[in-house]
Amino acid sequence: MSARAFWNDEALGPIAEKVAAGERLTAEDGLVLFHTPDLLGLGALANQLRETFHGNATYFNQNRHINPTNICIAHCRFCAFGRAPKAAGAYEYSIEEVVEMGREAEAAGAREIHIVGGLHPDLSLEWYCSMLEALKEACPELHLKAFTAVEVDYFTELEGLSVVEVLERLTKAGMDSMPGGGAEIFAPRVHKIICRHKATGERWLDIHRIAHGLGLKSNCTMLYGHVETDEERVDHLLKLRALQDETGGFQAFVPLVFHPDNTALRRIRKASGLVDLRVIAVSRLLLDNIPHIKAYWIMLGIKTAQVALSFGADDLDGTVVEEKIVHDAGADSPQEVPLDELVRLIRAAGREPVERDTVYNVVKRF
Ligand code: V47
């Protein structure tokens, strides 16, 4: 059966034809997709593309998130995780503590450690390099997906080094790839409102361009559901698509729904599950050159993440084990979903679970 049978909004017709012909969608098409009342028609279109790319496969990995410190000088208004240096709840792990977490994760089956943290006023690039070296020495098989472009930008300022110099030091110390956090919404209007003290959208894109040029793979994100407009979402997605045309270095796009609790923007109501599904579907359709769309269950909650697997998403991220950034902002998802439970959830959604490593080599088909 073709997707035609599923849509009720005539405005989706020309877009469906483009998708079927493998034609690229425009910014105007993106706005039609954000505005259509026909969410199921939109989902069916995105699902077609998802199945063209990946068939029934749904990817996940065994990973652990480590946030070495929550001390941060950026004070982003959407963030509940960052703390001033002497504030209640401020912490910084020692290198030994980070290594111990890496050891535990490896013993539990993890292949990847996802490391991101606050912009700490005193921890030097050398400290972070020592942390990576110690982790690699203790657990040489673990892939270290570490540091957002915002942290890399901060290291360049702190140390007076270029982006290339910072990335070369980090990779020499053991960094294997970069996560996609910190992108938020690229539009300067939004940056000014929600995160004026950190790297701009343009800088975030430049740093990923440079990282890809050095051979590093990375992911990309968009934080939605706060003060951004649909036009700004489309602009964000098309900027990612344009960079991917240049470099091919993005592996996955991860839409992140804003969680308002305990943030300076707590008066904003959290977006509904329907908005989450719409963003997943539009992302799949516009980002025709980024292989994977993640339904990050930590942010979406498990049930919405399962439905998202039929709205364009083909990846659930991983087992995670401990998550602070959105749990500090009110997320009610669990901290960990063990491997057998991820497999069960993917099967229950009618998909084929595929364990992958960070760079999408298949580890095991279930
Ligand atoms: O950079 C911060 C966002 C990101 C809130 O690359 C918030 O594979 C919602 O980037 N509500 C961290 N979001 C998470 C992230 C990520 C997660 C999983 C996989 C990957 C990947 C990347 O979370 C931050 C920021 O953009 N964030 N505060 C909040 N209140």
mmCIF file of all heavy atoms in Angstrom, residues 26-50:
data_model
loop_
_atom_site.group_PDB
_atom_site.id
_atom_site.type_symbol
_atom_site.label_atom_id
_atom_site.label_comp_id
_atom_site.label_asym_id
_atom_site.label_seq_id
_atom_site.Cartn_x
_atom_site.Cartn_y
_atom_site.Cartn_z
ATOM 1 N N THR A 26 12.307 21.639 0.264
ATOM 2 C CA THR A 26 12.736 23.031 0.471
ATOM 3 C C THR A 26 12.301 23.512 1.860
ATOM 4 O O THR A 26 11.551 22.826 2.567
ATOM 5 C CB THR A 26 12.040 23.939 -0.554
ATOM 6 O OG1 THR A 26 10.620 23.843 -0.316
ATOM 7 C CG2 THR A 26 12.350 23.520 -1.980
ATOM 8 N N ALA A 27 12.726 24.746 2.195
ATOM 9 C CA ALA A 27 12.294 25.359 3.463
ATOM 10 C C ALA A 27 10.769 25.492 3.475
ATOM 11 O O ALA A 27 10.131 25.237 4.509
ATOM 12 C CB ALA A 27 12.949 26.731 3.618
ATOM 13 N N GLU A 28 10.172 25.839 2.334
ATOM 14 C CA GLU A 28 8.709 25.979 2.264
ATOM 15 C C GLU A 28 8.046 24.625 2.560
ATOM 16 O O GLU A 28 7.056 24.552 3.286
ATOM 17 C CB GLU A 28 8.254 26.493 0.891
ATOM 18 C CG GLU A 28 8.636 27.936 0.585
ATOM 19 C CD GLU A 28 10.143 28.133 0.387
ATOM 20 O OE1 GLU A 28 10.806 27.227 -0.192
ATOM 21 O OE2 GLU A 28 10.675 29.176 0.828
ATOM 22 N N ASP A 29 8.591 23.571 1.983
ATOM 23 C CA ASP A 29 8.053 22.229 2.263
ATOM 24 C C ASP A 29 8.139 21.945 3.771
ATOM 25 O O ASP A 29 7.215 21.389 4.369
ATOM 26 C CB ASP A 29 8.855 21.145 1.524
ATOM 27 C CG ASP A 29 8.731 21.241 0.012
ATOM 28 O OD1 ASP A 29 7.681 21.704 -0.472
ATOM 29 O OD2 ASP A 29 9.697 20.851 -0.683
ATOM 30 N N GLY A 30 9.259 22.323 4.358
ATOM 31 C CA GLY A 30 9.447 22.095 5.798
ATOM 32 C C GLY A 30 8.346 22.769 6.608
ATOM 33 O O GLY A 30 7.811 22.190 7.564
ATOM 34 N N LEU A 31 7.981 23.987 6.204
ATOM 35 C CA LEU A 31 6.923 24.701 6.938
ATOM 36 C C LEU A 31 5.574 24.025 6.738
ATOM 37 O O LEU A 31 4.780 23.921 7.681
ATOM 38 C CB LEU A 31 6.871 26.168 6.492
ATOM 39 C CG LEU A 31 8.031 26.998 7.031
ATOM 40 C CD1 LEU A 31 7.980 28.414 6.463
ATOM 41 C CD2 LEU A 31 8.015 27.034 8.560
ATOM 42 N N VAL A 32 5.307 23.551 5.513
ATOM 43 C CA VAL A 32 4.058 22.809 5.286
ATOM 44 C C VAL A 32 4.017 21.609 6.245
ATOM 45 O O VAL A 32 3.003 21.324 6.881
ATOM 46 C CB VAL A 32 3.960 22.331 3.811
ATOM 47 C CG1 VAL A 32 2.795 21.363 3.620
ATOM 48 C CG2 VAL A 32 3.829 23.526 2.870
ATOM 49 N N LEU A 33 5.130 20.928 6.391
ATOM 50 C CA LEU A 33 5.173 19.736 7.256
ATOM 51 C C LEU A 33 4.972 20.107 8.728
ATOM 52 O O LEU A 33 4.313 19.393 9.477
ATOM 53 C CB LEU A 33 6.501 18.995 7.075
ATOM 54 C CG LEU A 33 6.773 18.446 5.662
ATOM 55 C CD1 LEU A 33 8.173 17.860 5.564
ATOM 56 C CD2 LEU A 33 5.737 17.401 5.265
ATOM 57 N N PHE A 34 5.541 21.248 9.137
ATOM 58 C CA PHE A 34 5.334 21.658 10.534
ATOM 59 C C PHE A 34 3.888 22.116 10.776
ATOM 60 O O PHE A 34 3.402 22.040 11.899
ATOM 61 C CB PHE A 34 6.318 22.766 10.943
ATOM 62 C CG PHE A 34 7.605 22.211 11.504
ATOM 63 C CD1 PHE A 34 8.831 22.480 10.912
ATOM 64 C CD2 PHE A 34 7.600 21.403 12.635
ATOM 65 C CE1 PHE A 34 10.016 21.954 11.424
ATOM 66 C CE2 PHE A 34 8.772 20.878 13.161
ATOM 67 C CZ PHE A 34 9.986 21.155 12.550
ATOM 68 N N HIS A 35 3.203 22.574 9.707
ATOM 69 C CA HIS A 35 1.859 23.127 9.907
ATOM 70 C C HIS A 35 0.734 22.137 9.614
ATOM 71 O O HIS A 35 -0.396 22.377 9.990
ATOM 72 C CB HIS A 35 1.667 24.365 9.019
ATOM 73 C CG HIS A 35 2.572 25.496 9.403
ATOM 74 N ND1 HIS A 35 2.899 26.531 8.569
ATOM 75 C CD2 HIS A 35 3.253 25.743 10.560
ATOM 76 C CE1 HIS A 35 3.736 27.363 9.180
ATOM 77 N NE2 HIS A 35 3.961 26.903 10.389
ATOM 78 N N THR A 36 1.018 21.056 8.920
ATOM 79 C CA THR A 36 -0.090 20.181 8.517
ATOM 80 C C THR A 36 -0.853 19.651 9.741
ATOM 81 O O THR A 36 -0.243 19.231 10.727
ATOM 82 C CB THR A 36 0.396 18.987 7.654
ATOM 83 O OG1 THR A 36 -0.752 18.194 7.329
ATOM 84 C CG2 THR A 36 1.407 18.110 8.359
ATOM 85 N N PRO A 37 -2.186 19.640 9.657
ATOM 86 C CA PRO A 37 -2.948 19.029 10.750
ATOM 87 C C PRO A 37 -2.907 17.498 10.673
ATOM 88 O O PRO A 37 -3.321 16.815 11.613
ATOM 89 C CB PRO A 37 -4.392 19.528 10.501
ATOM 90 C CG PRO A 37 -4.440 19.922 9.060
ATOM 91 C CD PRO A 37 -3.040 20.255 8.622
ATOM 92 N N ASP A 38 -2.369 16.974 9.560
ATOM 93 C CA ASP A 38 -2.426 15.534 9.304
ATOM 94 C C ASP A 38 -1.154 14.844 9.810
ATOM 95 O O ASP A 38 -0.272 14.458 9.033
ATOM 96 C CB ASP A 38 -2.598 15.344 7.787
ATOM 97 C CG ASP A 38 -2.801 13.887 7.408
ATOM 98 O OD1 ASP A 38 -2.913 13.042 8.312
ATOM 99 O OD2 ASP A 38 -2.830 13.609 6.193
ATOM 100 N N LEU A 39 -1.103 14.683 11.123
ATOM 101 C CA LEU A 39 0.114 14.116 11.732
ATOM 102 C C LEU A 39 0.369 12.681 11.256
ATOM 103 O O LEU A 39 1.519 12.284 11.029
ATOM 104 C CB LEU A 39 -0.011 14.172 13.257
ATOM 105 C CG LEU A 39 1.193 13.666 14.036
ATOM 106 C CD1 LEU A 39 2.429 14.514 13.771
ATOM 107 C CD2 LEU A 39 0.891 13.644 15.539
ATOM 108 N N LEU A 40 -0.711 11.921 11.086
ATOM 109 C CA LEU A 40 -0.514 10.521 10.675
ATOM 110 C C LEU A 40 -0.022 10.439 9.227
ATOM 111 O O LEU A 40 0.821 9.599 8.897
ATOM 112 C CB LEU A 40 -1.805 9.718 10.849
ATOM 113 C CG LEU A 40 -2.225 9.496 12.300
ATOM 114 C CD1 LEU A 40 -3.499 8.668 12.364
ATOM 115 C CD2 LEU A 40 -1.123 8.824 13.109
ATOM 116 N N GLY A 41 -0.526 11.338 8.369
ATOM 117 C CA GLY A 41 -0.039 11.383 6.989
ATOM 118 C C GLY A 41 1.439 11.754 6.964
ATOM 119 O O GLY A 41 2.246 11.154 6.241
ATOM 120 N N LEU A 42 1.807 12.748 7.767
ATOM 121 C CA LEU A 42 3.209 13.161 7.880
ATOM 122 C C LEU A 42 4.078 11.994 8.360
ATOM 123 O O LEU A 42 5.149 11.714 7.805
ATOM 124 C CB LEU A 42 3.303 14.347 8.861
ATOM 125 C CG LEU A 42 4.689 14.737 9.348
ATOM 126 C CD1 LEU A 42 5.561 15.213 8.191
ATOM 127 C CD2 LEU A 42 4.588 15.829 10.418
ATOM 128 N N GLY A 43 3.579 11.304 9.394
ATOM 129 C CA GLY A 43 4.328 10.170 9.942
ATOM 130 C C GLY A 43 4.527 9.071 8.911
ATOM 131 O O GLY A 43 5.611 8.485 8.812
ATOM 132 N N ALA A 44 3.483 8.816 8.120
ATOM 133 C CA ALA A 44 3.579 7.755 7.101
ATOM 134 C C ALA A 44 4.630 8.103 6.046
ATOM 135 O O ALA A 44 5.394 7.237 5.608
ATOM 136 C CB ALA A 44 2.212 7.536 6.449
ATOM 137 N N LEU A 45 4.664 9.393 5.679
ATOM 138 C CA LEU A 45 5.678 9.835 4.709
ATOM 139 C C LEU A 45 7.090 9.639 5.250
ATOM 140 O O LEU A 45 7.986 9.132 4.561
ATOM 141 C CB LEU A 45 5.500 11.332 4.449
ATOM 142 C CG LEU A 45 4.733 11.776 3.240
ATOM 143 C CD1 LEU A 45 4.746 13.300 3.160
ATOM 144 C CD2 LEU A 45 5.378 11.172 2.002
ATOM 145 N N ALA A 46 7.274 10.075 6.498
ATOM 146 C CA ALA A 46 8.606 9.948 7.119
ATOM 147 C C ALA A 46 8.974 8.479 7.279
ATOM 148 O O ALA A 46 10.130 8.085 7.092
ATOM 149 C CB ALA A 46 8.612 10.661 8.472
ATOM 150 N N ASN A 47 7.971 7.672 7.590
ATOM 151 C CA ASN A 47 8.221 6.239 7.784
ATOM 152 C C ASN A 47 8.669 5.573 6.480
ATOM 153 O O ASN A 47 9.530 4.691 6.487
ATOM 154 C CB ASN A 47 6.962 5.565 8.328
ATOM 155 C CG ASN A 47 7.240 4.144 8.773
ATOM 156 O OD1 ASN A 47 8.171 3.904 9.535
ATOM 157 N ND2 ASN A 47 6.466 3.199 8.277
ATOM 158 N N GLN A 48 8.077 6.028 5.363
ATOM 159 C CA GLN A 48 8.493 5.491 4.062
ATOM 160 C C GLN A 48 9.993 5.697 3.863
ATOM 161 O O GLN A 48 10.712 4.809 3.443
ATOM 162 C CB GLN A 48 7.777 6.249 2.937
ATOM 163 C CG GLN A 48 6.517 5.605 2.443
ATOM 164 C CD GLN A 48 6.051 6.245 1.138
ATOM 165 O OE1 GLN A 48 6.372 7.393 0.833
ATOM 166 N NE2 GLN A 48 5.308 5.491 0.378
ATOM 167 N N LEU A 49 10.444 6.932 4.150
ATOM 168 C CA LEU A 49 11.852 7.248 3.950
ATOM 169 C C LEU A 49 12.721 6.453 4.931
ATOM 170 O O LEU A 49 13.777 5.919 4.575
ATOM 171 C CB LEU A 49 12.058 8.753 4.143
ATOM 172 C CG LEU A 49 13.326 9.337 3.548
ATOM 173 C CD1 LEU A 49 13.428 9.046 2.055
ATOM 174 C CD2 LEU A 49 13.360 10.863 3.771
ATOM 175 N N ARG A 50 12.257 6.363 6.159
ATOM 176 C CA ARG A 50 12.971 5.586 7.183
ATOM 177 C C ARG A 50 13.140 4.145 6.725
ATOM 178 O O ARG A 50 14.203 3.535 6.858
ATOM 179 C CB ARG A 50 12.161 5.672 8.489
ATOM 180 C CG ARG A 50 12.748 4.908 9.638
ATOM 181 C CD ARG A 50 11.897 3.682 9.956
ATOM 182 N NE ARG A 50 12.213 3.194 11.283
ATOM 183 C CZ ARG A 50 12.966 2.103 11.520
ATOM 184 N NH1 ARG A 50 13.473 1.375 10.545
ATOM 185 N NH2 ARG A 50 13.215 1.730 12.750
#
